[in-house]
Amino acid sequence: LPEAIRFRPGKAVIEPKSRPLLRPVAQLMKDRPQLKLRIEGHTDSRGRAASNLRLSDRRAKAVRALLVRYGVQRPRLTAQGFGEERPIASNKTAAGRQKNRRVELHVP
């Protein structure tokens, strides 16, 4: 996943090399003031479901906070974690779990 927003393992800290990926998103939001963005956090199924839900929520909110820092107005951004509820790949393999650990950006 070369263009994925990466986090420190088990944390909601965006890795420094992933921060530049959000600058074009922030610029697009600033260029189009009518645009709103929904930020969704997801995890794999390892660990407890409640912990995964909290972690995914904190990660979505970390992305929102960075976009605000880059100049996007906070009311235009919603952030929510879904934990392990919405996998896009099998959690039975390392590659599948990696795909499931993600943050998605959606224009509602």
Side-chain angles (χ1 to χ4, degrees), residues 43-79:
T43 66
D44 62 28
S45 63
R46 286 195 165 176
R48 293 186 22 213
S51 298
N52 286 337
L53 183 59
R54 284 190 302 274
L55 177 61
S56 67
D57 195 60
R58 289 193 337 261
R59 286 179 171 177
K61 288 176 178 164
V63 169
R64 179 178 65 191
L66 187 57
L67 289 171
V68 168
R69 201 167 107 202
Y70 288 163
V72 180
Q73 297 168 329
R74 192 176 190 277
R76 297 173 57 206
L77 305 168
T78 58

Side-chain angles (χ1 to χ4, degrees), residues 14-34:
I14 300 171
E15 290 187 358
K17 66 182 176 184
S18 290
R19 292 180 191 154
L21 295 175
L22 291 169
R23 285 193 186 278
V25 174
Q27 189 59 53
L28 177 69
M29 295 291 293
K30 289 190 280 187
D31 291 345
R32 296 198 169 97
Q34 77 286 0

